[in-house]
Amino acid sequence: MDVGLLFDLRNPAQWQRPWADHYARTLEFCEEADRRGAGGVWFTEHHLFEDGYLPQPLTFAAAAAARTKRVRIGTAVVLPALRKPAQLAEEAALVDLISGGRLELGLGAGYRLPEYQLFDTDFGRRFARTGDNIAEIQRLWATGGITPGPIQDPVPLWGGFYGPRGARLAGRLGIGFLHISHQLFPLYREGLIEGGHDPESARVSDLLPILLADDPEAAWERVAPHLAHQMNSYRQLSVEGTDAPVPPALELDQLRHRPEDGSFGLLEILTPEQAAARIHERVAGLPVQHLIFWASIAGMPDDLVTRHIELVSEQLPPLLDKQFQLAGGATTGGPISARNGHG
């Protein structure tokens, strides 16, 4: 299992820097994560966000692959229903080649109608199309249907789904489940069995809403406006193009609410020690391979991003190892190593 950082390249108007500078700075952050021993850098996809949310994660992943040496290069997620399977199979293969075999390809169905309209694709069939396209990508790679093919055989694939249907789909396809959920994990295992795959091959990963800081209270004051932008834009744009009402904007004092069931809040800013205990509590018993953290929250200050990368890459892994050892090795699929790339 490793720890990684996810970049969405959001650049809100109120904190905006020139776009070329923003992309260059993010590549520098990727290099910093690589130097400090992080296990992965991950990229995600949305379209038509005013703040420039990254629309083509594999393009940026190729740039990051060329600038790094050890980190896994991941997507969390790409939307295969918006692309021809052969196109996605070729693009992903090139990232794997450029990186020397470091690609982790996370795939999902998405949830925004305007994105499907932009690509002239049927939103109502997005789950069926997503499953079909993932299966076709697997076939193209396995049969040499595109050239050149990837280095890895197979490339690790992940299904980024958050409901029962998606959990079963990931299992039937024989890919990893990019969601840490004790409730959905049994359905994912059932899907593996339905698809003729060994249920012991189950593997899960997820993006955790945790930010690390030396002084969480001081960091909250500085991050809260950025988090408000991130959450409110998600909430507003998630219903765009539908008849659903736009949810009211969250106020700053609502951002720190933690659900009574103990699940993660919108964002938890913690010290590495606090984070290790909190993560152990939430992932115990699941075969976790990757823990992924937001690298930045909607244009937050660079000094906080840099320190967060340092803490995630260097200080958190040994603390997680200690938690694992105290649990007698029963927490996850194996010890945490930020430096071994793919555990």
Side-chain angles (χ1 to χ4, degrees):
M1 182 169 68
D2 66 34
V3 295
L5 296 135
L6 182 138
F7 298 85
D8 61 12
L9 279 291
R10 300 182 78 168
N11 191 19
Q14 56 269 50
W15 305 290
Q16 191 172 98
R17 72 176 93 205
W19 278 105
D21 294 347
H22 182 56
Y23 272 61
R25 184 69 175 117
T26 302
L27 286 171
E28 290 173 353
F29 283 138
C30 293
E31 291 179 299
E32 181 74 4
D34 189 44
R35 281 195 300 270
R36 292 189 176 276
V41 291
W42 298 72
F43 309 99
T44 183
E45 173 180 357
H46 268 303
H47 302 269
L48 304 175
F49 274 53
E50 290 186 1
D51 61 13
Y53 201 117
L54 182 62
Q56 296 295 336
L58 284 171
T59 301
F60 199 87
R67 296 274 290 266
T68 58
K69 296 178 180 179
R70 294 175 297 276
V71 287
R72 302 295 293 179
I73 305 293
T75 60
V77 294
V78 169
L79 306 181
L82 303 185
R83 298 165 173 83
K84 296 289 187 182
Q87 174 194 355
L88 183 49
E90 288 180 342
E91 290 179 351
L94 289 181
V95 174
D96 199 52
L97 289 166
I98 292 167
S99 68
R102 291 183 279 138
L103 177 64
E104 302 276 337
L105 187 62
L107 304 145
Y111 59 87
R112 293 192 62 232
L113 178 59
E115 296 181 335
Y116 276 75
Q117 292 173 332
L118 179 66
F119 286 87
D120 193 26
T121 303
D122 187 352
F123 182 73
R125 296 193 65 255
R126 64 191 183 281
F127 273 98
R129 184 173 169 84
T130 295
D132 290 346
N133 285 5
I134 293 173
E136 177 63 5
I137 290 165
Q138 292 174 306
R139 188 194 70 80
L140 288 168
W141 283 342
T143 63
I146 59 99
T147 57
I151 292 175
Q152 298 178 97
D153 182 19
V155 172
L157 299 183
W158 297 88
F161 305 112
Y162 287 86
R165 181 179 181 182
R168 285 186 179 275
L169 175 60
R172 288 197 299 271
L173 290 167
I175 64 179
F177 187 34
L178 195 58
H179 183 36
I180 292 173
S181 168
H182 288 85
Q183 291 73 35
L184 295 178
F185 182 71
L187 299 179
Y188 166 58
R189 279 179 58 94
E190 290 175 12
L192 286 168
I193 295 170
E194 291 170 7
H197 308 287
D198 182 358
E200 297 306 309
S201 68
R203 51 194 171 92
V204 301
S205 299
D206 207 353
L207 172 63
L208 304 182
I210 291 175
L211 189 74
L212 300 189
D214 298 300
D215 185 341
E217 288 302 317
W220 258 113
E221 295 298 318
R222 301 176 66 196
V223 173
H226 300 267
L227 180 61
H229 170 88
Q230 184 187 67
M231 290 295 106
N232 286 326
S233 60
Y234 271 135
R235 287 160 62 87
Q236 293 160 9
L237 292 174
S238 66
V239 299
E240 186 181 13
T242 73
D243 295 329
V246 176
L250 293 170
E251 302 294 335
L252 292 181
D253 61 357
Q254 297 176 285
L255 298 175
R256 299 187 69 170
H257 172 72
R258 181 182 289 183
E260 293 181 1
D261 64 2
S263 58
F264 289 113
L266 298 177
L267 181 70
E268 299 185 14
I269 303 183
L270 306 170
T271 65
E273 292 79 9
Q274 292 169 334
R278 185 83 170 105
I279 292 167
H280 178 266
E281 168 191 296
R282 299 306 304 168
V283 309
L286 295 176
V288 178
Q289 281 199 353
H290 304 283
L291 296 173
I292 308 168
F293 303 83
W294 289 107
S296 176
I297 305 296
M300 74 186 201
D302 280 1
D303 66 302
L304 293 178
V305 178
T306 299
R307 185 55 175 156
H308 172 56
I309 290 172
E310 293 172 355
L311 294 174
V312 166
S313 303
E314 297 180 340
Q315 294 196 23
L316 184 61
L319 294 169
L320 287 170
D321 274 338
K322 183 176 180 181
Q323 289 282 349
F324 175 79
Q325 292 161 4
L326 290 174
T331 303
T332 60
I336 290 112
S337 173
R339 292 172 175 78
N340 68 356
H342 183 50

